[in-house]
Amino acid sequence: MKLLNIISLILLLILSGCLDQVPTNRPTLQKAVVNDTPEEEPQAELLEIPVRPNGAVIIQPGHCACQSARSISIGNCDATCASKASTETPQLFFDVELTEAITLDTYGDLNGWCLQQIIDPNTGESASSGTPNCKIEAKDESGTTQLIDFVPGAGQTSFSINTVALDFNKTYRLTIIEQDSGARSTTIQLRKKEIDDSNDPGGPLALMPVNEFTCLTNTNSNNSGGTEIESAKRSHFYFVEETRPEPLLENQFIFCHDKQQFGSTPINSPLLEEKTGAFTVWNRNDPRFFDLDGDEELQIHNIIEKEVERQGQTLTSTPRFFFELIWPNGITVEADSDEAGATQSSLGFYMSPFIDQDTFRAFCPTQEHYYSSNPIFKAMREVVGVDTEALYVGKEAVQGGCDFVLVRESDLKKIWFYIENGQHIQPNDSTITGKKVQFYWPPAFNSPFVRKSFQRTYTLQRVESLNCGETPPPEGGNQNGDGVRSNLETHDKRIGCLPVLQD
């Protein structure tokens, strides 16, 4: 029995040794690598959320405030108010024009712009938590605002609102605002006056927006009897609605509308690159821009002179501050001829700039001046009322002529420069004198000093330098702080002052 156990033990040791010798050609098992992190699905690209267009509602000039069929605002409102016999409470009547950002979009009209929810295309739900609605903001001279209810009807472009909450003899700036998005219309000015039978309309002078557009003139050469267009010269023109230029006679050399969009037959609305409200002037139809008493002085100058005298001051002559801005407003083409010429019209009135007798720098009056002790500016307080800004003119010299653009101060100071050591440098009141100041136009406010392919270079000009072609220099001159005519040149080449209607 013991011998049997010993033999079993020996066999067990021999088998164990054989099992420990693994063959060199035995296949090995590769362990699979398992990724415990699930594979991410590709993210869908988010669609851009629409934005309610800003500045796409344009309140038209010619608005009238009426009460009991009588006008309670300045301007030519007698006929309008006579047809509103039922207006026992003070009402403002106005019209709006809508840009294609509204009419060609889902909004359709002012009702849609005011009340339509903006839908997030990614979720199909409203893009905001608020409810769209419109109000009319009325801001007075001190900056105090009131909100007036405003619910436009579908398809409506003519409106009236109750202005009983607005004080008489106080100037307001009125803007339509969509409350949820903050989108705004253009702005108009209103000053309610008490009804009286005097010839002086009272209140601030009426204003008028000026529109800008361009025309392209082809420079051509003949080649084997054919005509090839070498280049096109761009010219800028300005007009107010009552002097909108007529369509050109059809020709192959000059066009003032978008031929690609509207075809070759000339049209006059819209005009090429038309810009509504490029700047604002004083309305030439305001009765105070006429000689009403035959003394060869504009009524506005007599009004200011009398107000200065009422303050106990004496002037040696009637001061003249306002001058008519006559400027090219389009092109005419002779029938059966390639000859073309520029037409001119009155845009309205501008104010001559003033000269500070301490610094000899030009300036345009603001509320700070109207509420100073200076009798001239105090006399302007009621009839001018609004802040003013400078008007400048830029010139581009091109082959065969020049092009001039009119630019308001609030736009120009964002884009003007002079070159020094190869760098674009923005001028200021201390550095601008004696510099060749330029700007790229049309403006690109986000990167004003990098010239784009669609931009041209314009150089700031003085009035006496506007000597290319038939472009007329504005009349007028500089005034000093006391309203006395002066031959001093403006330090920054401004040619006049314009009313400001911006916030």
Side-chain angles (χ1 to χ4, degrees):
M1 185 67 179
K2 290 184 179 178
L3 178 61
L4 181 60
N5 290 338
I6 292 172
I7 292 173
S8 298
L9 179 61
I10 293 172
L11 290 174
L12 181 62
L13 291 173
I14 293 173
L15 289 173
S16 298
C18 291
L19 291 173
D20 288 338
Q21 296 177 5
V22 180
T24 57
N25 62 347
R26 175 183 290 182
T28 58
L29 178 65
Q30 296 289 335
K31 185 177 182 181
V33 178
V34 179
N35 185 2
D36 294 330
T37 304
E39 185 174 332
E40 294 184 1
E41 295 183 2
Q43 294 291 326
E45 183 177 351
L46 293 178
L47 299 176
E48 185 176 354
I49 299 175
V51 177
R52 201 176 306 273
N54 195 49
V57 179
I58 303 168
I59 305 179
Q60 297 297 288
H63 52 279
C64 292
C66 307
Q67 184 174 4
S68 301
R70 301 286 299 276
S71 173
I72 56 172
S73 61
I74 63 173
N76 299 322
C77 290
D78 290 342
T80 298
C81 292
S83 65
K84 311 293 183 183
S86 62
T87 55
E88 296 182 3
T89 58
Q91 299 280 324
L92 173 66
F93 297 87
F94 63 95
D95 298 321
V96 303
E97 180 180 314
L98 308 176
T99 70
E100 293 181 350
I102 293 177
T103 58
L104 298 185
D105 207 321
T106 57
Y107 304 105
D109 57 15
L110 188 56
N111 175 275
W113 185 81
C114 283
L115 301 177
Q116 182 174 299
Q117 288 276 8
I118 293 179
I119 302 301
D120 186 338
N122 303 290
T123 64
E125 299 178 352
S126 174
S128 67
S129 58
T131 301
N133 71 98
C134 279
K135 301 282 187 181
I136 292 184
E137 178 190 81
K139 181 181 292 186
D140 65 19
E141 303 105 319
S142 67
T144 302
T145 61
Q146 299 181 52
L147 294 179
I148 301 173
D149 290 336
F150 180 64
V151 182
Q156 190 177 1
T157 58
S158 297
F159 306 93
S160 67
I161 59 170
N162 190 321
T163 64
V164 68
L166 304 183
D167 295 334
F168 284 92
N169 302 317
K170 183 180 287 188
T171 303
Y172 292 90
R173 290 182 293 174
L174 305 182
T175 310
I176 303 172
I177 302 176
E178 195 286 299
Q179 297 287 285
D180 184 45
S181 64
R184 303 169 67 89
S185 71
T186 59
T187 300
I188 59 172
Q189 181 180 247
L190 172 68
R191 186 182 181 94
K192 289 166 42 179
K193 63 183 181 67
E194 302 286 352
I195 296 176
D196 61 44
D197 297 319
S198 65
N199 291 328
D200 182 1
L205 296 164
L207 307 181
M208 178 67 71
V210 176
N211 305 326
E212 175 186 274
F213 74 99
T214 61
C215 292
L216 294 181
T217 304
N218 294 328
T219 302
N220 303 281
S221 64
N222 291 325
N223 183 11
S224 302
T227 299
E228 293 183 353
I229 298 176
E230 291 182 339
S231 61
K233 173 182 174 291
R234 175 178 270 100
S235 301
H236 286 79
F237 298 96
Y238 299 86
F239 70 95
V240 295
E241 277 301 329
E242 68 178 0
T243 60
R244 178 179 285 271
E246 294 297 323
L248 292 175
L249 294 176
E250 189 164 356
N251 69 95
Q252 60 179 324
F253 299 101
I254 302 172
F255 59 94
C256 302
H257 72 285
D258 190 332
K259 292 173 65 176
Q260 292 184 344
Q261 182 176 359
F262 299 105
S264 61
T265 302
I267 60 174
N268 70 340
S269 181
L271 291 159
L272 185 61
E273 298 176 335
E274 182 173 331
K275 178 183 179 182
T276 302
F279 54 88
T280 305
V281 294
W282 282 279
N283 191 334
R284 65 186 301 272
N285 294 318
D286 189 296
R288 288 162 291 187
F289 286 123
F290 294 86
D291 176 14
L292 299 179
D293 52 14
D295 65 349
E296 299 184 354
E297 295 287 352
L298 298 181
Q299 193 70 15
I300 180 60
H301 295 147
N302 290 335
I303 291 172
I304 293 175
E305 180 182 27
K306 290 177 182 178
E307 179 60 26
V308 171
E309 292 175 348
R310 192 188 66 79
Q311 298 174 44
Q313 306 293 321
T314 302
L315 295 173
T316 57
S317 61
T318 302
R320 296 173 179 172
F321 304 103
F322 293 92
F323 299 89
E324 201 158 16
L325 182 58
I326 299 174
W327 203 265
N329 76 325
I331 291 179
T332 58
V333 179
E334 298 294 333
D336 302 323
S337 171
D338 296 335
E339 295 185 2
T343 59
Q344 299 177 7
S345 70
S346 171
L347 300 179
F349 280 77
Y350 73 100
M351 183 190 296
S352 184
F354 291 78
I355 302 293
D356 188 308
Q357 293 299 290
D358 293 326
T359 64
F360 296 103
R361 293 174 181 167
F363 68 93
C364 293
T366 63
Q367 298 296 320
E368 179 181 358
H369 298 97
Y370 304 144
Y371 285 89
S372 70
S373 60
N374 187 295
I376 291 289
F377 295 133
K378 289 173 65 177
M380 289 183 174
R381 184 189 304 169
E382 295 299 322
V383 290
V384 177
V386 297
D387 290 349
T388 61
E389 64 178 342
L391 174 65
Y392 298 87
V393 60
K395 172 182 175 182
E396 181 203 22
V398 294
Q399 184 177 4
C402 301
D403 180 37
F404 294 91
V405 294
L406 295 171
V407 190
R408 60 185 179 183
E409 179 181 354
S410 51
D411 286 338
L412 182 62
K413 287 191 173 181
K414 299 174 184 176
I415 60 175
W416 67 1
F417 62 85
Y418 61 90
I419 302 294
E420 194 169 277
N421 297 324
Q423 301 294 318
H424 290 71
I425 301 175
Q426 277 190 295
N428 55 42
D429 275 343
S430 301
T431 62
I432 192 171
T433 304
K435 296 293 194 300
K436 182 179 180 179
V437 179
Q438 298 179 304
F439 56 93
Y440 300 134
W441 195 262
F445 295 116
N446 291 333
S447 54
F449 307 135
V450 178
R451 185 172 178 266
K452 318 299 185 299
S453 60
F454 60 86
Q455 292 180 310
R456 307 288 181 90
T457 303
Y458 289 80
T459 303
L460 219 58
Q461 300 291 302
R462 295 191 184 279
V463 171
E464 59 271 17
S465 301
L466 305 184
N467 55 3
C468 183
E470 299 180 357
T471 303
E475 299 179 3
N478 303 324
Q479 309 280 350
N480 65 20
D482 294 323
V484 180
R485 297 298 297 276
S486 169
N487 292 324
L488 289 174
E489 294 183 336
T490 57
H491 73 294
D492 60 355
K493 297 185 175 68
R494 68 182 66 197
I495 66 171
C497 300
L498 303 173
V500 176
L501 275 184
Q502 295 179 319
D503 287 336

